[in-house]
Every structure is written in C-alpha cells, then in structure tokens.
Amino acid sequence: MPYSIPSRTGLVLLFPIVSVVALDIVRRLISSSRRDRKGSPLPPGPTPLPLLGNVLSLDVEEPWKTYTAWKATYGDVFYARLLDQEVILLNSQDDAVELLEKRSQIYSDRPVIATIEPYGFSFVFAFRGYDDYWRLGRRIFHQTFRADTVLAFRPMQLRRARQMVMNVIDNPAQYASHYSLFSTGVALSAVYDYEPNPQNDHIVHIIDSFIETTLPATTPEKAVLFKMFPFLWRIPDWIPGLSLKREAKISCEWAVKTVEAPYQYAQKRVEASEHPTFSMVSDHIARMQEYDEPYRSDYTSALKNAAATAIIGAAESTSATAMIFTLAMVQNPHVWKRAQAEIDAVLGMDRLPDFEDRPFLPYVEAVLRETQRWQPVLCLGLPHAASSSDIYKGFYIPKGATVVANVWAMSRDEARYPNAEQFIPERFLTAEGTLIDDNPAQYVFGFGRRMCPGRHTGDASVWSVISTMLATLEFHLAKDAEGRDIIPNPKYVNGVARHPEKFPCRISPRPHISKASLERLLE
Ligand code: HEM
C-alpha cells in the first residue's frame, strides 16, 4: 500500500501537540514491552528509532521494496514498528500459509484504519474487522462469486473483451481508457446487470468520484496520523492543509451515491422483469423473498454494501493487469509471437479463444501467470491483524500486530524465479511445454479466510483479455519524430491497484484481423 509523508503545513501545525501525544506513545511502548511474551523474543528486525520506529527508513512510495531488501538481513519473518504500529512481515508463501491460512482463527482480522469510517468507507467489508458484519457481507458475496456460479459471467466477459479489442483497433491511442471501460463494465454487469455508456456514464462517474476523493485520504500515513491524534478531527476546516472535515464530508456523500445509485437501478430492473439477467443483486433479491421483515431489511442493507464492495474490489484490478500485460508485450515481442503461434495452431485463424480452449493453450496460461508475478497489482496484499498473541517459529507475535504478506518478496524470490526482474513465461513450463505446479495465483490473491473472494471472476476476466488480445493484436514500440524506437519505462501508479502509467506504444490488429472480420466473428 502506498505510503507518503504528511504535508509541511500539517507537520508545523502538529508540532505543538506532538509532545503531549509522545508521552502516550511512550506509555504504550513501555506497556507493550512488558507484555507477557511467554519467554519468546519478537522476530528480528531493523532497529527502531524512539517513537518513530522504522518509519523513516521506508521507501514511502514503494515500501514493499524496502521490506524485500530487509528480508536479506532479517529473514522471511521479521518485525518492524511504524510509529506505534507493530508490523510482522511475511516474505515467503510458506510462512503466509502457515499463519494466515493454517492459523486463520487468529490472523483473519484487519488493522483499524482510522480514516475508513469518517470518509464513508465503512460499507466496504474488505476493511472490516473479523466480525459478524464482515461474515454476512462475505457470505452474500461468496454465493454469487464462488467458482461454479461465476461460470454464468463468462460469455459476458468474453463479449466485453472482444468489444474492447474492437475499441482498441478503432482508437489505439486510448488503449488505457478501453481497458478501464472493460474492467468497470464487467463489474457493473456482474453485480447490477448494468451496461455503462462508453462515455460520460453517470454511474461510472459516481464510482470514479468516490475512489478519487477517498483514495488519497485513506493512505496509511493519514490513517496512522488520525489514529494517534484523533483530535485532528476537531481542528477547524479553515486551517490550511487540514480541511479534513470538508474532505471527509464530500467523500461520505460520494459513498452514499456509490452504494445507492446502481442498486436502485438494479432493483427497478429486477422488478420490471419476470426473468431478470443473473447478477449479484438479482440473485439475492430472489433469495431474500423467503425471509420476513425485519431480517429482509438487514439483508437488503448488507446486499447493497456487499455489492458496492464488489465494485470497489473489482475496480482497476483487470485494467491494471491489462496495462502490465501490454507493457510486457511491447518490451518482449518474442512472447506475443510465440503465443500467437500457439493460438493459431490450436484454434486456426477463423475463431477467437473460448474458455474450452484454455487447457490447450499452456503458453498463453504461462503469459498470464508471468504477468501476475512480474508486477503484482497488490504488492503487500491487504493487511491482516492478529486478534490474539501467538508464538511462531519461537518468536512472539503480539496481539493487535498488523500482519503483512509481502507478495513482492514472493515474486522476487531468485531461488524460485531466476532473473525475477525479467518477463519469462517459460519459467512456468516444463521442457515439453506443459505447465508446472507453481502458480502465482496462490499468493497474488491473498491468504486464508480473507483471500480475495473475487478471484474466480477476476481470473476469468484477465484470461478473456489476455487470450483475446493475443489472438487479435500486435504490440510494437512507438517511434519518435525521427523514426527512432521509444523504449517505454513508465512510472507505476499506486491506485486501488498498482499499474504502469499510460506509455507510448503502437497496438495494431494482426494482418488477418480487421474490425469487419471481428464483427463477423462476433455474430
Ligand atoms: C484480478 C485481480 C485481483 C487481484 C490480484 C485481487 C487481489 C486481492 C487481494 C490480495 C486481496 C486481499 C486478500 C487478503 O486479505 O489476504 C483481495 C481482497 C478482496 N478482493 Fe480481490 N483481487 C482481484 C480481483 C477482485 C475482483 C474482480 C473482485 C470483485 C468481484 C474482488 C473483490 C475483493 C474483496 C471484496 C476483497 C476483500 C475480502 C475480505 O476482506 O474478506 N477482487 N483481493
């Protein structure tokens, strides 16, 4: 998750109050050091500064890189302190499975993020503690998005992927917008049976506005600031740099619209049709008919929130992966050429990939795995929290510690992935070209009871996009005014999902593909 430092104005204003709060931190640290550790030491870790802990040593933009560098010194399981927050880093898949899955009764909580509630984010069950509210949201979610149910979405996902390719052929310069429309469109169809307009869609506008207003406000450093200095909420709005109440109010207004507007649309659509198209909302409106009030009202409220959570969870996840895939293809043309040879050999050139073809396209599968490994979209997953103290490998894990699976470190394990910085799909294949057991899906979707519940539909979206693009498009370097190649080296953006900024490239249809031939293939 992104970390950045608070503004200079904010720091100056905070200075007089820091000393008071510092005493509180000291008190908490002393009490934490006195806790019963059952004779076990904390895991090793970098030496913390008084009060600040290790916060100044972190790369604020890409903390996963600092944590991965620290792994070389402190090992797979280490301890860091960020101000008063104790953090346990799990840098190997085995340790993440041991704690987050095998001891999931202890490690399924989330740390308290002080900005979530004031900014209207509390409807998102992904940030809730391990409580009944989370359980109900997760159950509603699971009933629609479990492995067998999401098969119903596949035709829609393929149709949208093919439409996306047509949009790319029509207007390649806007490729990033076409990816976003695909990502949001699939989520809105699956959750609300809603078909967004390609431009100026009012529901998309509401969701984007909520994410844009809230995301910068819910960065971890702001959350830590508010957790430690709750009286910041009482500082008047007119003080420059601290217009928090106003910011939070606007965010809450967008949150209400995000929950209500698409739900009202879906509800009306269900009421107007005898056989509504399957979606998360239509499915649960049918299910709730068997319940009486007041349970039905509770169910409706939980459904609205779980539906909006699905939209936030799905936002950007596929479009970010498509951006990463495009960058990898532009930088490695031999990869898309080999994938196209496989697709042509298995399917011929007069049809597009379908899910039945998936087992017969191992190289395409290896490209998908390498895309997920090479640049994970959530480098630190989402943080878990320990709801009671524990002993692991002889080390003491304090109650309340934030427990983070460092996906970046797992993807950079040189013993498992030699030349890990390189994009090499072949690492997932045997010499005979069959897939090996190693699949990054085992760690990029998280662990245990909090593992991504949208992973089956997310995986199908990503496969639809990658296989359809490989079957129909070529990916070339852009040229500058003198005709020289432009080698892309984009910065990465940490939004809901991490992805490269839009970069110059030339995406064009393969010689046998045109908009007209695609339209024929879609008939
Ligand atoms: C395709 C790319 C995706 C990736 C890489 C991804 C990854 C993740 C990860 C790492 C977590 C945290 C897991 C943990 O705490 O251990 C998560 C949670 C979650 N994801 Fe995804 N996700 C993807 C797509 C989706 C989609 C399409 C949806 C919705 C349909 C979704 C909905 C959620 C929700 C609701 C949670 C919170 C679960 C909870 O707290 O119980 N995700 N995801």
Side-chain angles (χ1 to χ4, degrees):
M1 297 179 90
Y3 279 79
S4 60
I5 47 175
S7 73
R8 185 176 289 270
T9 329
L11 283 177
V12 170
L13 284 163
L14 289 174
F15 188 73
I17 47 182
V18 162
S19 47
V20 177
V21 179
L23 287 171
D24 182 52
I25 300 175
V26 172
R27 182 188 54 73
R28 276 188 262 175
L29 291 176
I30 290 171
S31 86
S32 96
S33 69
R34 281 188 190 144
R35 269 188 309 226
D36 175 20
R37 293 187 181 166
K38 300 169 187 148
S40 305
L42 288 166
T47 308
L49 289 174
L51 305 180
L52 294 172
N54 307 106
V55 83
L56 295 183
S57 323
L58 270 188
D59 172 346
V60 292
E61 294 293 332
E62 300 186 310
W64 44 88
K65 294 196 175 164
T66 311
Y67 293 143
T68 304
W70 285 347
K71 171 190 158 173
T73 313
Y74 305 109
D76 280 339
V77 182
F78 66 79
Y79 171 96
R81 186 163 58 73
L82 308 179
L83 302 174
D84 73 335
Q85 184 59 57
E86 306 187 277
V87 185
I88 305 291
L89 268 299
L90 306 174
N91 296 290
S92 82
Q93 188 180 327
D94 285 348
D95 290 309
V97 168
E98 282 302 319
L99 291 193
L100 307 182
E101 284 187 23
K102 298 196 181 155
R103 302 187 192 182
S104 57
Q105 74 282 8
I106 297 179
Y107 293 99
S108 296
D109 212 353
R110 294 270 191 234
V112 174
I113 302 179
T115 39
I116 292 291
E117 197 163 339
Y119 280 82
F121 234 100
S122 38
F123 72 83
V124 179
F125 73 76
F127 296 122
R128 289 290 292 221
Y130 190 48
D131 58 12
D132 286 345
Y133 178 92
W134 169 79
R135 256 181 282 278
L136 178 58
R138 178 102 189 180
R139 184 153 52 83
I140 289 175
F141 196 101
H142 176 71
Q143 281 163 346
T144 307
F145 287 101
R146 58 175 205 258
D148 56 339
T149 323
V150 294
L151 300 179
F153 298 133
R154 285 182 169 185
M156 175 272 289
Q157 288 168 299
L158 277 179
R159 177 174 58 77
R160 286 187 172 281
R162 292 165 184 181
Q163 185 59 55
M164 185 193 85
V165 164
M166 288 218 264
N167 296 343
V168 172
I169 293 173
D170 249 0
N171 187 354
Q174 294 302 322
Y175 68 93
S177 310
H178 305 318
Y179 298 169
S180 286
L181 182 64
F182 171 86
S183 212
T184 320
V186 165
L188 286 169
S189 284
V191 175
Y192 301 109
D193 184 27
Y194 180 78
E195 185 91 15
N197 287 322
Q199 258 134 29
N200 303 327
D201 185 272
H202 83 287
I203 297 273
V204 173
H205 171 68
I206 289 172
I207 294 163
D208 286 350
S209 304
F210 174 58
I211 292 176
E212 272 161 32
T213 334
T214 313
L215 215 56
T218 49
T219 53
E221 94 284 344
K222 265 204 179 169
V224 168
L225 212 61
F226 286 110
K227 182 175 165 215
M228 294 176 63
F229 311 129
F231 47 82
L232 285 176
W233 290 114
R234 295 196 290 277
I235 292 178
D237 274 2
W238 48 263
I239 294 187
L242 281 171
S243 53
L244 299 162
K245 278 188 283 186
R246 198 174 43 227
E247 205 176 75
K249 190 166 162 273
I250 295 170
S251 179
C252 285
E253 284 164 7
W254 284 119
V256 171
K257 289 182 189 158
T258 297
V259 172
E260 290 296 335
Y263 186 87
Q264 300 307 337
Y265 165 88
Q267 191 178 30
K268 282 193 194 122
R269 213 169 146 79
V270 170
E271 283 164 5
S273 164
E274 270 185 37
H275 302 288
T277 309
F278 179 79
S279 70
M280 181 178 186
V281 170
S282 71
D283 178 29
H284 284 279
I285 287 184
R287 285 170 194 266
M288 72 173 73
Q289 301 315 316
E290 59 191 80
Y291 299 107
D292 296 326
E293 293 294 347
Y295 184 68
R296 206 191 284 187
S297 322
D298 294 347
Y299 195 149
T300 304
S301 152
L303 171 59
K304 279 184 192 177
N305 291 346
T309 299
I311 298 297
I312 305 295
E316 286 188 15
S317 55
T318 321
S319 54
T321 311
M323 290 296 287
I324 293 161
F325 163 77
T326 305
L327 180 61
M329 294 306 102
V330 171
Q331 291 177 339
N332 301 278
H334 62 282
V335 171
W336 56 260
K337 287 178 187 163
R338 180 169 171 187
Q340 290 182 346
E342 178 179 81
I343 292 171
D344 294 349
V346 174
L347 278 77
M349 295 172 72
D350 54 0
R351 72 181 182 87
L352 295 177
D354 206 329
F355 281 94
E356 283 81 66
D357 302 313
R358 191 167 178 176
F360 307 105
L361 298 171
Y363 191 74
V364 172
E365 199 68 31
V367 172
L368 185 156
R369 290 186 189 182
E370 183 65 344
T371 304
Q372 289 177 327
R373 180 207 69 83
W374 182 54
Q375 298 295 339
V377 297
L378 283 174
C379 295
L380 297 175
L382 289 181
H384 291 225
S387 47
S388 57
S389 62
D390 192 17
I391 304 291
Y392 180 61
K393 291 186 168 171
F395 295 123
Y396 177 72
I397 313 285
K399 176 180 175 180
T402 296
V403 182
V404 173
N406 186 358
V407 172
W408 182 263
M410 296 172 203
S411 76
R412 283 333 185 240
D413 180 350
E414 281 285 328
R416 186 170 173 182
Y417 304 122
N419 299 316
E421 284 303 320
Q422 308 290 316
F423 189 89
I424 310 175
E426 287 76 5
R427 62 172 95 248
F428 293 107
L429 296 171
T430 62
E432 292 72 43
T434 54
L435 286 161
I436 60 169
D437 287 340
D438 186 351
N439 187 346
Q442 292 158 353
Y443 52 84
V444 296
F445 290 110
F447 297 90
R449 295 182 196 174
R450 303 303 291 242
M451 179 189 271
C452 175
R455 63 193 179 281
H456 304 297
T457 190
D459 169 68
S461 278
V462 169
W463 189 82
S464 304
V465 165
I466 288 184
S467 63
T468 310
M469 290 182 81
L470 285 171
T472 52
L473 299 172
E474 295 190 347
F475 307 83
H476 297 282
L477 295 173
K479 305 265 185 205
D480 66 14
E482 278 79 48
R484 287 174 307 217
D485 287 338
I486 304 174
I487 310 294
N489 185 19
K491 268 181 42 194
Y492 279 77
V493 182
N494 296 312
V496 177
R498 175 178 177 267
H499 59 87
E501 271 178 351
K502 194 170 163 220
F503 54 90
C505 61
R506 280 186 304 126
I507 308 179
S508 54
R510 294 180 67 193
H512 70 288
I513 296 285
S514 63
K515 209 178 155 205
S517 73
L518 267 180
E519 271 162 3
R520 270 198 309 281
L521 286 173
L522 290 183
E523 279 165 10

